[in-house]
Amino acid sequence: MTDATLNTAGKAVELPTLEGSIGPSVLDIRKMYAATGQFTYDPGFTSTASCESGLTYIDGDEGVLLHRGYPIGQLAEHSSFMEVCYLLLNGELPSQSELGQFSRIISRHTMLHEQLATFYRGFRRDAHPMAIMCGVVGALSAFYHDSTDINDPQQRKIASHRLIAKMPTIAAMAYKYSVGQPFLYPDNSLSYTGNFLRMTFGVPAEPYVVVPEVERALDRIFILHADHEQNASTSTVRLAGSSGANPFACIAAGIACLWGPAHGGANEAALNMLREIGTPDRIPHYIARAKDKNDPFRLMGFGHRVYKNYDPRATVMQKTVREVFAALKVNDPLFETALQLEEIALSDPYFAEKKLFPNVDFYSGIILSAIGFPTTMFTVLFALARTVGWVAQWNEMISDPNQKIGRPRQLYTGPVQRDYVPLSAR
Ligand code: ACO
């Protein structure tokens, strides 16, 4: 493709075009400011590629999501979360022995430093578990000094393994703390996801039996959330990491960003919304509210910055709801409300014109609630699963020779220079 020429400020500037392996090409504007004295303006980065990445590809118009080239539907159906973690971190699917070795390494890091348990006690019992996650994950940097040198690839690897391995333990402890039950130590004879279920729902007084269908469903939910290219929390992790901050601090920053209702907090908000709607007869009222410009209400779990088509993860989620209901012999009437809400919204011109479709969060809350998680834990589960994406993206960034500290510029609209007026003269 030929380079573009930008005519601006009385100058003609050549902007090189860079080609990816698939997807839109990008205009390289790195030298633009030096050449023209002008910045580009792009709040929300809707037209800006902030980095080069080989991890995840999304075609939002076609509803395509690939991890290292593999479609998310195939990964969700055939692989395991551990396998996807390996894929994201290493670039290729593991062999049987590589997967076994990787799973063993992760399971060897599942325990937390014992002192961290006392850290939890500083929180109020009714603290939101995401507040606890932000604090405890950030605190890991105070406990694992031997894996905070970001210039040492081996230390980066160990930090990555620690984060992936400890996140289920941290998340389960946040839950246990909120319900006043004792923390359970990890059981490394179980799978990554089975172990998390046991630490969350088991009690020391009796054995915990993992239901295979639930284990598989939750593992699949983890796969669906593993990575999603340069979303807000991942960009936050990259930005924090660009200054050389340690990986535990960077992931804590990502967790803080994920917490927002426009991002990871949407799964909690979506289920709360479905509960508020309640029965299908009340759907039209809420559809009208979502369309009303003067009403801040939005259909949570609907719409996406990148997907202007059905989110491929929502398709898998909808199927998984039925599997979990069958395994647990439950039937939440909210699922029917959700299905009807989807149908009504998709046939409404407002949603069609704005290309608003269900996203990954629309059905996930129904599954998680059926498994027994309170809504406050939903975003925690998202953070747990997204940790691999965050660390893979962070590692990719640190290894990138073009990496620079992230430092956007601005369009300044404040007062121009003026002289200080003494207090007595104001
Ligand atoms: N309900 C009603 N209207 C909506 C919705 C919605 N869920 N989402 C977008 N719109 C409308 C907006 O009002 C806007 O209308 P306008 O053009 O008339 O002003 C238009 O669609 C475009 O919306 P923007 O907010 O400009 O789109 P953006 O790409 O910035 O936002 C977002 C995407 C934040 C996801 C938005 O769709 C939303 O708030 N959805 C609900 C929250 C949600 O489900 N978030 C989860 C995202 S997925 C994830 O993080 C895992």
Side-chain angles (χ1 to χ4, degrees), residues 112-144:
L112 288 187
H113 190 291
E114 197 61 19
Q115 188 83 17
L116 264 169
T118 57
F119 195 74
Y120 279 78
R121 302 206 162 87
F123 289 96
R124 281 170 53 138
R125 288 276 171 192
D126 61 355
H128 195 289
M130 281 299 278
I132 300 180
M133 294 293 284
C134 289
V136 175
V137 174
L140 291 179
S141 23
F143 286 85
Y144 300 102

Side-chain angles (χ1 to χ4, degrees), residues 11 150 199 204 292 304 307 316 329 346 392:
K11 293 185 188 105
I150 62 157
M199 286 191 292
D292 182 354
H304 197 276
Y307 292 117
V316 183
K329 300 186 179 50
L346 291 186

Side-chain angles (χ1 to χ4, degrees), residues 37 42 52 63-64 95 148-149 179 215 263 298 351 354 374 424:
D42 187 17
E52 195 181 315
V64 170
S95 67
T148 52
D149 178 0
V179 292
E215 182 183 18
H263 191 9
R298 280 186 170 200
F351 294 90
K354 295 186 189 305
S424 56

Side-chain angles (χ1 to χ4, degrees), residues 389-423:
W390 289 330
V391 296
Q393 299 263 0
W394 171 80
N395 266 301
E396 186 182 56
M397 178 193 68
I398 306 282
S399 319
D400 182 351
N402 289 325
Q403 190 264 325
K404 281 180 183 305
I405 184 167
R407 194 354 181 144
R409 305 304 295 256
Q410 63 174 8
L411 174 66
Y412 177 71
T413 54
V416 295
Q417 184 170 331
R418 46 187 170 165
D419 287 326
Y420 177 79
V421 180
L423 195 52

Side-chain angles (χ1 to χ4, degrees), residues 262-263 266 293 298-302 304-305 350 354 356 359:
H263 191 9
K293 279 272 149 270
R298 280 186 170 200
L299 276 195
M300 298 313 284
F302 248 80
H304 197 276
R305 169 60 62 78
Y350 173 92
K354 295 186 189 305
L356 300 169
N359 60 49

